[in-house]
Amino acid sequence: MNRTVDVLKEKTAAGFERAGYDGKYGFISVSNRPDLCQYQCNGAMAAAKEYKKAPIAIAGEVVEQLKSDPVFEKIEAVNPGFINITVSGSFLAERAAQMRTEERFGVELPERQQTIVIDYGGPNVAKPLHVGHLRPAIIGESIKRICRFMGDIVIGDAHLGDWGLPIGLIITELKRRQPELPYFDENFSGEYPKEPPFDIGDLEEIYPYASAYSKEAGHEDYLKEAEEATARLQKGDPGCRALWQHILNVSVEDLKKNYEKLNVDFDLWKKESDVEAYIPDMVQKLKDDGYAYISEGALVVDVTEEGDKKELPPCIIVKSNGATLYATTDLATIVEREKLFHPDRIVYVVDKRQSMHFTQVFRVVKKTGIASPDIKLDFIGFGTMNGKDGKPFKTRDGGVLRLQALREAINEEVYNKMRENRDYSEEEARAISEKVGLAALKYGDLSNQASKDYIFDIERFASFEGNTGPYILYTIVRIKSLLNKYRENGGDIDEKTPLLPPEGGSETEVYLTLNRFADMMETAYAEMAPHKICQYIYELSEAFNHFYHETKILSEEREEKRNSYLGLIALVQQVLEQCIDLLGFEAPDKM
């Protein structure tokens, strides 16, 4: 099913050609003046330069060729040379009817399917998920779903941080607290315990303490010891490796539970350490090919390119103590991903403050040829989630807020709003508030352009009115209720129910908004922009609710028209539910 703008473009291009002009000028856009028209062609303005003719004259000639086409209810040339278009109601109804019969509501699959690896989430083991982990998880999850919907093979990877200094800090602190453990005995030759000497609660206390302690003045020896422990881990020390495995097992189990509650699912739980085997050969290749050299004891690769306004720092591959860094494992991960998945594209959903890091990594790949130059490497940098004071979101005492606490707070806000207005049992209210709370949380974030900072306002995000997740869900529940009421009275609606041309402004707006679905999805996919979907479903919800308040749907006396209304809103429900699934949440049956 061709997009609406493509259908109209084909017709206007033919109109230009019949009038004696190049069909390339028949491009179409959605009107930015909906009070004047629905679509617009500005091609006559551009054609005027080539044909040295007044644009209004060209527009008038093109309109003359098109005015009898039944697709157009109204088409006119307007000074200084615009072609304003209003499509016919029968065309809109026909397009909507076609959407109902297609699996993707008219979205066409690409000619060539891509394989895409999306690197998102990125938590470090042994550390609790906090508000900083929210954005990569839900933005990456939505992008993964969008790409799959558009026909790509998509592999989502959590890419755990398990190979750096945080592990060394935990090992160092454990040794101080429990020096008798066999992991610290150089002469130990037996099997290490199967049960870990800590639980997730212990780890969540140990790491922040060790990290803070290592940064305090006078504790340089402690930091050095942690760095040495990290190096020993990476070189294969059995005690460090055994502790690391315990840390990994305890952490991943807890992480999976937390991500599940966010409706975030990874295909892979790969770790930095998984690419350990790739690093020696990769480093050797960088040396042999003359790209890597020693600088101040470290092995580095220059990444500054001609045309850069300022020199970029070299990318450090191996530190002077022999330890690897994030850059090393990120490079080796690209090598591994090419070997395992042969991706066309690798997408990183990471804090935009990591831009320099990924610029260095991508340039090393491009410069050295350690991976195919055909792999497209994309960095989607997201902004900061801030409190009402405009500063990064913190707890009242200034600490980093745990993600679980944030989720519970917004669920409680939704729960309180529901109990104010509805008489639900405690169990039912809690169950509904979890779904609505997740929608409030995700929509509140995803409705913002990923690269921008935004203010996290629990009261506004949990509101049942305005551009919020609960408002979108309430619209879906309203449609469900209306259709259920009709079915309870013996009615039946399916995709064969004829859709009649719209008769009024609000009904027409519903049809028009539905017709923009394919255009919107292609834009959201091309730009990897979930906020485009949020914007669309808010517009569709607004269009439906205006129609709902202006129209007596179930009491419409004309049976065919009543059924058409119901078929139309059933399509609205399906499209809204598809969209919220792409955003990573679902609607309850009632609110």
Side-chain angles (χ1 to χ4, degrees):
M1 178 178 172
N2 291 336
R3 300 181 307 162
T4 301
V5 291
D6 291 335
V7 173
L8 298 179
K9 178 182 176 182
E10 188 176 319
K11 290 184 175 295
T12 52
F16 270 90
E17 289 172 358
R18 289 199 298 271
Y21 305 105
D22 195 320
K24 70 181 181 182
Y25 294 114
F27 50 84
I28 291 288
S29 61
V30 175
S31 172
N32 57 10
R33 286 291 306 275
D35 55 320
L36 299 178
C37 59
Q38 299 162 351
Y39 296 91
Q40 195 170 59
C41 173
N42 300 337
M45 308 287 285
K49 296 179 182 178
E50 179 179 344
Y51 294 97
K52 296 179 173 52
K53 199 170 184 179
I56 189 63
I58 296 174
E61 292 171 28
V62 173
V63 166
E64 196 62 30
Q65 298 295 325
L66 296 172
K67 64 182 183 181
S68 61
D69 192 314
V71 164
F72 304 115
E73 180 177 304
K74 182 180 180 182
I75 181 167
E76 59 181 347
V78 179
N79 278 319
F82 303 124
I83 298 175
N84 288 354
I85 297 170
T86 299
V87 296
S88 66
S90 58
F91 173 74
L92 289 173
E94 181 183 322
R95 297 283 298 175
Q98 196 173 349
M99 282 180 69
R100 289 196 299 174
T101 63
E102 301 203 1
E103 184 181 359
R104 289 175 172 79
F105 305 108
V107 172
E108 293 191 337
L109 295 179
E111 293 181 5
R112 180 182 174 277
Q113 188 179 51
Q114 291 189 93
T115 296
I116 303 175
V117 176
I118 301 182
D119 186 320
Y120 68 106
N124 288 320
V125 299
K127 296 167 69 175
L129 292 177
H130 56 74
V131 291
H133 293 108
L134 177 68
R135 302 210 74 190
I138 66 177
I139 294 170
E141 179 71 19
S142 183
I143 290 173
K144 180 187 76 177
R145 293 176 181 224
I146 290 168
C147 292
R148 281 186 180 157
F149 180 82
M150 299 301 287
D152 290 327
I153 298 169
V154 188
I155 302 154
D157 184 5
H159 194 63
L160 304 175
D162 72 324
W163 208 229
L165 182 59
I167 304 298
L169 285 165
I170 292 169
I171 291 171
T172 300
E173 184 58 28
L174 276 171
K175 185 177 181 179
R176 292 203 164 195
R177 296 186 184 192
Q178 302 181 64
E180 74 284 356
L181 291 174
Y183 312 98
F184 308 119
D185 183 354
E186 294 180 3
N187 299 316
F188 184 79
S189 58
E191 286 191 13
Y192 290 110
K194 292 184 179 180
E195 293 299 315
F198 44 70
D199 58 24
I200 190 64
D202 297 325
L203 288 179
E204 290 176 356
E205 181 272 325
I206 290 171
Y207 173 72
Y209 172 82
S211 178
Y213 186 82
S214 71
K215 295 171 185 175
E216 292 175 2
H219 296 163
E220 291 79 10
D221 289 346
Y222 185 91
L223 177 59
K224 185 178 180 181
E225 187 180 343
E227 290 173 341
E228 290 171 351
T230 305
R232 288 201 310 276
L233 167 70
Q234 295 176 357
K235 290 176 181 177
D237 178 87
C240 290
R241 287 289 175 100
L243 277 174
W244 162 78
Q245 191 61 59
H246 285 318
I247 293 168
L248 200 61
N249 293 341
V250 171
S251 295
V252 170
E253 183 182 354
D254 183 67
L255 287 169
K256 286 184 176 180
K257 290 177 184 176
N258 278 282
Y259 278 124
E260 184 179 355
K261 290 186 176 178
L262 282 174
N263 204 13
V264 169
D265 176 60
F266 299 99
D267 304 291
L268 299 174
W269 287 81
K270 283 281 190 178
K271 312 173 294 296
E272 281 185 273
S273 58
D274 288 333
V275 298
E276 179 193 7
Y278 293 89
I279 291 175
D281 287 346
M282 181 189 75
V283 170
Q284 192 61 49
K285 176 178 171 56
L286 294 175
K287 290 178 180 178
D288 292 345
D289 292 350
Y291 294 113
Y293 65 94
I294 300 296
S295 174
E296 298 181 14
L299 187 70
V300 304
V301 174
D302 287 330
V303 295
T304 298
E305 295 179 352
E306 188 177 344
D308 287 340
K309 293 182 179 179
K310 61 180 181 179
E311 187 175 346
L312 298 182
C315 182
I316 301 175
I317 307 298
V318 182
K319 294 173 69 175
S320 57
N321 67 355
T324 56
L325 300 91
Y326 285 129
T328 325
T329 54
D330 278 341
L331 288 167
T333 299
I334 293 172
V335 174
E336 182 195 43
R337 285 169 176 165
E338 180 175 30
K339 181 179 180 181
L340 298 181
F341 310 116
H342 309 291
D344 299 284
R345 190 175 189 182
I346 303 175
V347 179
Y348 295 83
V349 183
V350 187
D351 190 313
K352 66 182 180 183
R353 291 171 290 188
Q354 295 295 316
S355 175
M356 174 61 77
H357 167 78
F358 283 98
T359 296
Q360 291 177 311
V361 168
F362 293 172
R363 286 191 177 187
V364 170
V365 174
K366 176 183 173 183
K367 179 178 182 177
T368 65
I370 60 172
S372 169
D374 295 331
I375 298 176
K376 191 171 187 291
L377 301 172
D378 288 318
F379 172 69
I380 297 179
F382 56 81
T384 308
M385 186 178 86
N386 296 325
K388 291 182 181 180
D389 60 359
K391 298 178 181 178
F393 209 87
K394 299 282 186 182
T395 60
R396 288 182 180 178
D397 60 4
V400 177
L401 184 66
R402 292 185 60 170
L403 193 48
Q404 180 180 342
L406 180 69
R407 191 173 51 77
E408 289 172 353
I410 203 161
N411 287 353
E412 192 67 23
E413 182 73 20
V414 170
Y415 169 80
N416 291 333
K417 288 180 183 294
M418 289 176 54
R419 293 305 294 265
E420 287 174 9
N421 303 304
R422 298 283 188 277
D423 185 20
Y424 290 119
S425 68
E426 173 72 11
E427 183 180 2
E428 192 173 32
R430 290 292 180 189
I432 295 172
S433 68
E434 283 221 2
K435 285 188 175 182
V436 180
L438 184 61
L441 185 66
K442 286 195 163 187
Y443 190 92
D445 186 296
L446 293 172
S447 58
N448 299 277
Q449 188 173 337
S451 61
K452 294 183 177 178
D453 300 345
Y454 75 95
I455 302 297
F456 189 88
D457 185 338
I458 286 182
E459 289 182 13
R460 181 169 70 83
F461 288 177
S463 173
F464 284 54
E465 298 176 354
N467 189 8
T468 68
Y471 173 72
I472 305 299
L473 296 193
Y474 188 74
T475 301
I476 295 171
V477 169
R478 171 175 273 170
I479 297 173
K480 283 184 180 181
S481 176
L482 201 61
L483 294 175
N484 286 339
K485 186 176 180 181
Y486 178 70
R487 292 186 181 107
E488 287 167 3
N489 291 324
D492 184 34
I493 293 295
D494 59 32
E495 64 184 31
K496 295 179 182 178
T497 302
L499 296 181
L500 303 180
E503 295 178 348
S506 61
E507 186 183 5
T508 299
E509 191 58 34
V510 174
Y511 274 107
L512 280 168
T513 310
L514 284 169
N515 264 271
R516 293 204 304 270
F517 174 74
D519 296 335
M520 177 279 297
M521 281 305 307
E522 290 200 9
T523 301
Y525 171 63
E527 298 178 9
M528 293 202 167
H531 73 279
K532 298 286 185 181
I533 297 178
C534 294
Q535 180 182 341
Y536 173 78
I537 57 177
Y538 176 61
E539 291 170 359
L540 183 56
S541 296
E542 284 279 87
F544 163 75
N545 283 310
H546 288 149
F547 168 68
Y548 172 83
H549 289 300
E550 291 179 6
T551 310
K552 295 180 179 179
I553 298 174
L554 293 180
S555 60
E556 168 60 50
E557 295 180 355
R558 296 168 293 170
E559 183 180 1
E560 282 192 351
K561 190 61 182 175
R562 181 177 67 247
N563 288 346
S564 176
Y565 285 158
L566 292 164
L568 176 64
I569 67 172
L571 177 59
V572 171
Q573 178 192 335
Q574 291 167 356
V575 171
L576 287 174
E577 288 182 327
Q578 177 62 75
C579 287
I580 65 171
D581 180 70
L582 295 175
L583 297 174
F585 55 90
E586 60 184 22
D589 290 325
K590 61 181 181 178
M591 283 171 68

